[in-house]
């Protein structure tokens, strides 16, 4: 009986190769085939074997190299041919990475699948910008939502942001005006602190701070581009507040 390969759903983390898990790095280095997203940093792809086959299935807003169904079939086809294939994703495979869909397809086809978690975009970007997503004095709840989805205005985000809470929005750059409007209509204060983290945990990272009402202006004025996260909550202002305290103490 012909050997069937394994599909490895591997999280590449926020971009810095030093933030890969050891398991992820080892799989990337020896993989025969790597099917990767567009947001995987080139420095990570450089870790692959010289003879490895690299296949980009980059997704951009309203434009996919391959539809998700075709990606699923591609992974299964390689595994059926006896090849172990690394499906390499930015961040973590199971946090807005469609890893769940790919794992379900593999299992349905009788293909062995292994998930290798990665540092999520939210964790990596927050850590690099020193924003504590949870904090005893500011937030005991953190939620992740997708800002790029159909029917955004009708999404129920009640209770996800506000006092004692942190809301992290993935893929929200293009819909920042609708997001700000939606949250303020839901009762959030216009002066609630926010941060926009562009290229989190990468050398060209930018952290832009302001208020919820000013969020659309920040994104437009600063020409923010993906990958970027929007973090909403009091935790985004704590670094500024603590820095001011330090300045006053030294005065």
């Amino acid at each position: 009986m012909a050997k069937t390969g394994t599909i490895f759903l591997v999280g590449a983390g926020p971009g810095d190769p030093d933030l890969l898990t050891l398991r992820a790095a080892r799989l990337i280095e020896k993989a025969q085939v790597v099917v990767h997203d567009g947001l995987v940093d080139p420095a990570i792809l450089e870790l692959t074997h010289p003879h490895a086959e690299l296949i980009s299935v980059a997704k951009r807003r309203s434009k996919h190299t391959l539809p998700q169904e075709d990606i699923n079939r591609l992974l299964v086809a390689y595994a059926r041919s006896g090849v172990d294939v690394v499906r390499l994703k930015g961040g973590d495979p199971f946090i807005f990475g469609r890893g769940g869909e790919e794992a379900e397809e593999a299992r349905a086809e009788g293909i062995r699948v292994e998930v290798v978690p990665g540092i999520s975009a939210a964790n990596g970007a927050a850590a690099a910008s020193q924003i504590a997503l949870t904090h005893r004095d500011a937030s005991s709840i953190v939620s992740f939502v997708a800002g790029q989805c159909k029917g955004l205005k009708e999404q129920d985000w009640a209770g996800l942001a506000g006092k004692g809470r942190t809301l992290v929005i993935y893929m929200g750059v293009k819909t920042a005006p609708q997001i700000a409007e939606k949250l303020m209509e839901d009762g959030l204060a216009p002066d609630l602190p926010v941060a926009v983290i562009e290229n989190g945990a990468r050398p060209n990272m930018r952290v832009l701070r302001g208020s919820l009402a000013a969020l659309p202006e920040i994104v437009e004025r600063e020409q923010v581009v993906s990958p970027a996260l929007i973090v909403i909550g009091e935790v985004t202002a704590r670094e500024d507040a603590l820095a001011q305290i330090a300045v006053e103490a030294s005065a």
Side-chain angles (χ1 to χ4, degrees):
M1 181 178 294
K3 173 184 176 291
T4 300
T6 298
I7 296 173
F8 296 94
L9 305 180
V10 178
D16 186 341
D18 285 344
L19 296 180
L20 288 169
T21 65
L22 288 175
R23 178 65 172 157
R26 288 166 180 159
L27 285 170
I28 292 168
E29 288 170 352
K30 71 177 185 179
Q32 294 173 268
V33 177
V34 177
V35 179
H36 64 91
D37 287 346
L39 293 181
V40 174
D41 196 279
I44 291 177
L45 295 179
E46 289 176 3
L47 299 176
T48 57
H49 190 278
H51 300 300
E53 182 178 359
L54 303 185
I55 303 170
S56 173
V57 290
K59 296 183 177 71
R60 291 291 185 268
R61 184 175 173 85
S62 302
K63 183 179 180 181
H64 293 187
T65 303
L66 281 180
Q68 185 61 51
E69 293 77 11
D70 289 347
I71 295 173
N72 296 347
R73 285 191 284 269
L74 177 68
L75 298 175
V76 168
Y78 271 110
R80 285 204 183 284
S81 71
V83 174
D84 291 339
V85 55
V86 167
R87 174 68 174 103
L88 192 58
K89 299 169 174 290
D92 180 271
F94 279 3
I95 301 182
F96 298 122
R98 299 193 180 182
E101 299 173 41
E102 293 166 355
E104 289 169 359
E105 180 76 11
R107 291 194 297 265
E109 295 293 330
I111 305 297
R112 181 176 179 272
V113 60
E114 179 182 326
V115 181
V116 181
I119 294 176
S120 71
N123 287 342
S129 56
Q130 299 195 22
I131 295 174
L133 296 179
T134 63
H135 192 290
R136 285 197 303 167
D137 296 331
S139 175
S140 60
I141 299 173
V142 59
S143 302
F144 302 150
V145 300
Q148 179 182 309
C149 56
K150 294 180 180 179
L152 176 62
K153 194 172 180 63
E154 287 71 41
Q155 294 287 313
D156 184 6
W157 291 0
L160 297 184
K163 185 173 179 59
R165 301 166 188 266
T166 304
L167 179 61
V168 180
I169 302 173
Y170 284 67
M171 301 169 285
V173 171
K174 297 294 185 182
T175 55
Q178 295 93 316
I179 289 170
E181 179 182 6
K182 172 183 176 60
L183 291 173
M184 288 188 288
E185 285 179 353
D186 286 347
L188 293 188
D191 61 353
L192 185 66
V194 305
V196 180
I197 308 173
E198 180 187 70
N199 292 309
R202 300 187 184 196
N204 57 340
M205 181 180 77
R206 290 196 298 168
V207 183
L208 309 168
R209 287 181 168 82
S211 67
L212 179 58
L215 175 61
E217 178 190 348
I218 293 170
V219 169
E220 181 177 2
R221 182 185 68 237
E222 299 295 334
Q223 296 294 294
V224 176
V225 296
S226 294
L229 289 174
I230 299 170
V231 185
I232 298 175
E234 296 292 340
V235 294
T236 65
R238 289 193 62 80
E239 182 185 346
D240 288 346
L242 294 175
Q244 182 62 36
I245 291 172
V247 169
E248 292 173 352
S250 63

